[in-house]
Amino acid sequence: MRTPTLAAPTPSTTSAGTAVLLHTEPGRPPALTGDLDRDRGPVGDHLESTARLIEALPPRVARSAAQQRDAAALHAAADALRRRFLAAHAEGVYAELTDGLTRHPRLDELTSLAAARFPGLVPTAAQLADDARHMQRNKEGWEVALGTFFQAVLNAPTAGNHLLRSMLRPTERARAALLDFQLTGRADLGIATVTRQDGIAHLELCNDEFLNAEDDAAVEALETGTDLVLLDPASHVGVLRGAPQSHPAHAGRRVFSAGINLTQLYHGDITLLGFLLRREAGYIAKFVRGLCLDDTAGEGWWPDADKPWVAAVDAFAIGGGMQILPTMDRVVAADDAWFSLPAMEEGLVPGLANMRLLHSTGSRLSRRLVFWGHKLRATDPEASLFVDETVPADAMDTAVRAAAEHLDHPAVGANRRMLTMVEEPLDLFRRYLAQYAYEQSRQLHSPALITTLERTWIHRNRKTSGGGQR
């Protein structure tokens, strides 16, 4: 591999007398020829040399203001080169990583393949592992490069559609658990459970330590459970619900969702791949479109296993919990439930809610929900825009069962597919997810998010006895 010419570093000295490098920068980025084989070497060399300069700096928490500026400039220059390279070669890169579209790697596997075959284009496993050891405020932010990579792949029609189809395939964990679930009608996934009775499969999140907030582990369990419902021929309708809680504030009461687990986010345990992207392209996309089982599907493909879903909202649906509701075929809520979408408070983009809520609530209410954290109660007139039925809390079981039984009808599948085709065309979903990957990766490592976490989460944690979800 060729070593590019590097600009001479400017030495400086810390207060302790330790020599550091300031104002370092790699040489001029290579010009692109438009030929993938000719461009990959010089681009990879340049990106790797830039990464070495970043890694030669002190850890983020120990950098001076000047070193912080140097690191930011290096990251920005590397990202600009990645964007130029991927603008020219995203389809070719993806075709190579999937052996001519014959393989179906998921997000994490695709990242590993890209790191091995196109050095510097995405973070290495070691870089991601090192960042994983740090709290969010102290991370280097290598995940931002992943946002650039997946933005380009998803914006490329052939590559993007293939990746989305790969993400709609059942997980290996679900395939391994399917036979036992078919025989027993129950699957214990640790943080979630699936139980089937009379053709209705109940998928319940059981993260009661955090009032059913979601993290990487919850996303993995919910996708596995969703796959089991969709794969099981005896399950005709899925019901999504929160399990009863042991938290003192809601002991014995069901809770739908407290959204993203801010405790995990603060400590750096919420990942772009395992949570933010997998959640949208994985189990939530499967609520909308079902599973893709046919490897030979062409451009006009439609998933092979889709089923109707009912959301049963007890207590509250905050953030990510509320984001799910537009994907459901029926939303039944307890009359004392409430909803909010505190995206501005968290400093993140609220998944696909910015796109999906427009269909149900319109532009003005969507902006109040996203920008102002507008809180709605199930009995508010505006709540009827995304809640179909409101019943007393003690009547929830009966109402949910009746909704599921109504949707167990042979014509439901065809009608929901036609509705989805109009409401959320695959091309629109793909292009939104591409920009989401880019924007969310930057928000995840932005000073604004860190400030928000310090101001809101820590303040609230001091006022409570350990609550960390909101």
Side-chain angles (χ1 to χ4, degrees), residues 309-368:
W309 286 86
V310 176
V313 182
D314 302 276
F316 47 73
I318 306 173
M322 187 175 179
Q323 293 167 29
I324 293 172
L325 302 185
T327 71
M328 297 282 106
D329 299 291
R330 184 78 171 177
V331 177
V332 181
D335 58 8
D336 59 350
W338 58 274
F339 313 84
S340 70
L341 200 65
M344 292 286 286
E345 180 181 340
E346 296 167 353
L348 294 169
V349 178
L352 270 74
N354 292 335
M355 179 182 78
R356 289 178 176 139
L357 280 175
L358 289 173
H359 294 298
S360 54
T361 68
S363 176
R364 302 323 312 164
L365 180 54
S366 293
R367 280 171 165 76
R368 292 203 299 276

Side-chain angles (χ1 to χ4, degrees), residues 69-413:
R69 290 192 295 270
D70 287 341
L74 289 167
H75 278 297
D79 195 62
L81 179 56
R82 291 186 186 100
R83 287 170 65 85
R84 288 198 296 119
F85 177 77
L86 287 165
H89 301 301
E91 292 281 21
V93 167
Y94 187 83
E96 179 174 330
L97 297 179
T98 57
D99 296 340
L101 309 183
T102 62
R103 298 180 58 190
H104 297 270
R106 289 171 61 87
L107 298 171
D108 52 352
E109 184 184 356
L110 189 66
T111 297
S112 298
L113 290 169
R117 299 191 190 184
F118 294 90
L121 191 59
V122 298
T124 64
Q127 289 168 333
L128 291 174
D130 182 67
D131 252 6
R133 288 191 284 269
H134 296 288
M135 298 180 71
Q136 194 65 29
R137 67 172 178 262
N138 297 330
K139 292 180 184 291
E140 185 62 53
W142 297 111
E143 286 179 312
V144 172
L146 290 176
T148 297
F149 175 71
F150 284 107
Q151 179 195 33
V153 168
L154 289 165
N155 266 329
T158 300
N161 286 339
H162 187 275
L163 176 58
L164 293 179
R165 195 161 68 212
S166 298
M167 289 301 296
L168 290 179
R169 291 159 64 86
T171 64
E172 290 302 317
R173 184 183 180 191
R175 290 184 183 276
L178 179 60
L179 179 58
D180 188 62
F181 177 67
Q182 289 177 315
L183 292 174
T184 66
R186 177 173 175 80
D188 186 344
L189 306 173
I191 204 169
T193 62
V194 189
T195 55
R196 183 209 333 112
Q197 185 175 13
D198 299 327
I200 303 171
H202 294 260
L203 171 58
E204 295 186 358
L205 182 61
C206 313
N207 192 9
D208 61 349
E209 180 182 358
F210 296 103
L211 294 178
N212 281 343
E214 286 187 62
D215 49 27
D216 286 37
V219 168
E220 196 278 336
L222 287 170
E223 184 170 12
T224 303
T226 301
D227 288 348
L228 289 175
V229 175
L230 294 173
L231 287 168
D232 176 34
S235 297
H236 304 154
V237 181
V239 171
L240 180 67
R241 198 172 187 181
Q245 302 294 288
S246 62
H247 192 286
H250 297 272
R253 173 88 191 272
R254 289 183 182 271
V255 164
F256 187 71
S257 173
I260 190 171
N261 189 324
L262 293 182
T263 301
Q264 298 278 25
L265 180 60
Y266 177 75
H267 288 288
D269 296 325
I270 297 292
T271 68
L272 183 71
L273 287 181
F275 182 89
L276 294 166
L277 292 183
R278 178 177 179 178
R279 184 174 188 270
E280 303 302 332
Y283 84 87
I284 297 182
K286 290 172 178 177
F287 286 156
V288 177
R289 289 186 161 80
L291 298 177
C292 186
L293 306 175
D294 184 2
D295 290 343
T296 65
E299 290 299 320
W301 67 277
W302 188 271
D304 310 285
D306 65 307
K307 293 175 183 177
W309 286 86
V310 176
V313 182
D314 302 276
F316 47 73
I318 306 173
M322 187 175 179
Q323 293 167 29
I324 293 172
L325 302 185
T327 71
M328 297 282 106
D329 299 291
R330 184 78 171 177
V331 177
V332 181
D335 58 8
D336 59 350
W338 58 274
F339 313 84
S340 70
L341 200 65
M344 292 286 286
E345 180 181 340
E346 296 167 353
L348 294 169
V349 178
L352 270 74
N354 292 335
M355 179 182 78
R356 289 178 176 139
L357 280 175
L358 289 173
H359 294 298
S360 54
T361 68
S363 176
R364 302 323 312 164
L365 180 54
S366 293
R367 280 171 165 76
R368 292 203 299 276
L369 291 166
V370 174
F371 294 153
W372 300 94
H374 184 55
K375 181 177 176 180
L376 286 173
R377 299 194 176 278
T379 52
D380 291 342
E382 289 177 314
S384 64
L385 295 172
F386 55 88
V387 174
D388 299 294
E389 184 179 2
T390 302
V391 300
D394 60 5
M396 281 288 289
D397 291 349
T398 300
V400 169
R401 186 184 313 110
E405 290 173 349
H406 182 85
L407 288 170
D408 188 4
H409 188 285
V412 165

